[in-house]
Amino acid sequence: FTVFLIALQLILITEGAMVNSQPRRVFVSGAGGQTGQHVFRKLLALPDEFEPFGIVRSESSKTSLVESGVPGSSVVVCDITDAEACISAMKGCDAAVICTSAKPSPTGEMNEETGRPVFGFPNGQPEQVDWIGQKNQIDAAKLQGTTKCHVIICSSMGGTNPNHPLNNLGKVTLPDGSSQGGNILKWKRKAESYLMESGLPFTIVHPGGLVNEPGGKRELALGVDDKIEGTDNNVVPREDVAEVMVQALRNDSYRGRSFDLVSKNEGEEIGR
């Protein structure tokens, strides 16, 4: 694993990355979101290597991207919970970068016991987005050829803890004492397992807390099973996560890898 970490650091600062003779068609879901949009724009900036298609949930998301200067022909509206729509959008692609995720937001209610805001998932529960939606994308990738389509998932740290607080977001207790909804990390891990068993080339990135700060300012640190040595920091800039995912497309050494990713504190001594 140490060798892989050293290789990752070298890859991120080296221009001699793998280049194909023809641009590879890349399906990028969640391209209207924050991390996914970073990935999409980075790929658009490498036209000799990639022909990316940004997958968005709505026409309004597509309009926003087009108005920002993205070619309309490079943006596709697709409901990832619709298997046939995913198959259509994925047709002819050489790789898929999955950045879709259920997004929690306050419902306006307060939890009487904790005094904290209650969160829900207005645009789809984790079971539908992080499991069914990702499964649909993986199945569509399989139709492109199990040895051909490299699938990269942006997942999340915390999945080794079934009682992680993120799993409680959007969860509702029913009158019989059972619960429904929520469990976002559990559904993400189910999709990861499905991908690893699919036979497809894969890379799974588990970032720590995502922050909207410039990339390229901090040393990155890797680990597995929610354990990372060398830093007490547990966050990482979205732009750095996107860069790692782009490099995973450019370098075969990332294939078959699943790892956690955070950054050291800005200014923290390199190699410490």
Side-chain angles (χ1 to χ4, degrees):
F1 192 82
T2 301
V3 172
F4 176 59
L5 174 56
I6 294 171
L8 169 62
Q9 293 170 336
L10 290 174
I11 285 167
L12 291 174
I13 61 174
T14 301
E15 291 298 325
M18 180 179 66
V19 178
N20 291 284
S21 58
Q22 285 188 321
R24 298 164 65 197
R25 293 170 62 90
V26 183
F27 171 107
V28 183
S29 64
Q34 297 182 80
T35 307
Q37 190 169 158
H38 278 304
V39 174
F40 184 38
R41 292 183 183 277
K42 285 176 178 290
L43 294 177
L44 284 169
L46 297 168
D48 292 339
E49 296 181 54
F50 303 107
E51 182 185 4
F53 293 89
I55 309 302
V56 298
R57 186 171 55 85
S58 64
E59 289 290 345
S60 61
S61 292
K62 177 175 181 176
T63 298
S64 295
L65 285 173
V66 172
E67 289 179 347
S68 73
V70 173
S73 59
S74 297
V75 185
V76 178
V77 177
C78 172
D79 177 2
I80 61 161
T81 65
D82 181 335
E84 292 300 320
C86 287
I87 291 171
S88 177
M90 187 85 68
K91 187 175 181 180
C93 285
D94 303 296
V97 181
I98 300 177
C99 294
T100 47
S101 178
K103 185 177 181 180
S105 64
T107 63
E109 301 176 5
M110 298 294 290
N111 185 309
E112 295 181 359
E113 293 182 3
T114 65
R116 296 177 178 177
V118 174
F119 283 78
F121 292 93
N123 294 316
Q125 280 282 338
E127 180 178 5
Q128 293 300 313
V129 180
D130 294 274
W131 164 232
I132 300 300
Q134 291 196 18
K135 178 181 181 295
N136 287 342
Q137 294 173 76
I138 294 164
D139 286 342
K142 288 171 68 175
L143 293 177
Q144 313 312 311
T146 55
T147 61
K148 174 187 176 185
C149 195
H150 182 190
V151 178
I152 302 170
I153 287 183
C154 181
S155 189
S156 175
M157 287 185 66
T160 61
N161 178 11
N163 298 314
H164 195 287
L166 287 178
N167 284 325
N168 293 325
L169 296 178
K171 186 181 290 186
V172 177
T173 302
L174 302 178
D176 64 0
S178 63
S179 63
Q180 68 178 18
N183 284 326
I184 187 168
L185 297 179
K186 291 182 180 180
W187 293 118
K188 284 181 182 292
R189 283 301 173 103
K190 186 171 183 177
E192 292 175 29
S193 295
Y194 188 76
L195 173 59
M196 289 188 286
E197 295 169 358
S198 70
L200 289 163
F202 70 87
T203 306
I204 299 169
V205 183
H206 301 122
L210 296 166
V211 294
N212 295 317
E213 297 179 6
K217 302 290 186 180
R218 312 175 185 209
E219 182 182 13
L220 302 181
L222 304 184
V224 293
D225 296 332
D226 294 326
K227 298 176 182 178
I228 297 181
E229 298 180 359
T231 182
D232 58 1
N233 192 39
N234 61 0
V235 302
V236 60
R238 293 178 186 274
E239 191 174 342
D240 283 334
V241 176
E243 183 64 23
V244 168
M245 298 179 82
V246 169
Q247 295 302 332
L249 285 172
R250 303 177 85 196
N251 297 273
D252 285 344
S253 60
Y254 281 83
R255 297 191 179 205
R257 303 277 186 176
S258 176
F259 54 89
D260 302 338
L261 173 68
V262 300
S263 62
K264 292 191 174 184
N265 296 301
E266 189 169 348
E268 190 172 343
E269 184 179 346
I270 300 295
R272 183 176 170 183

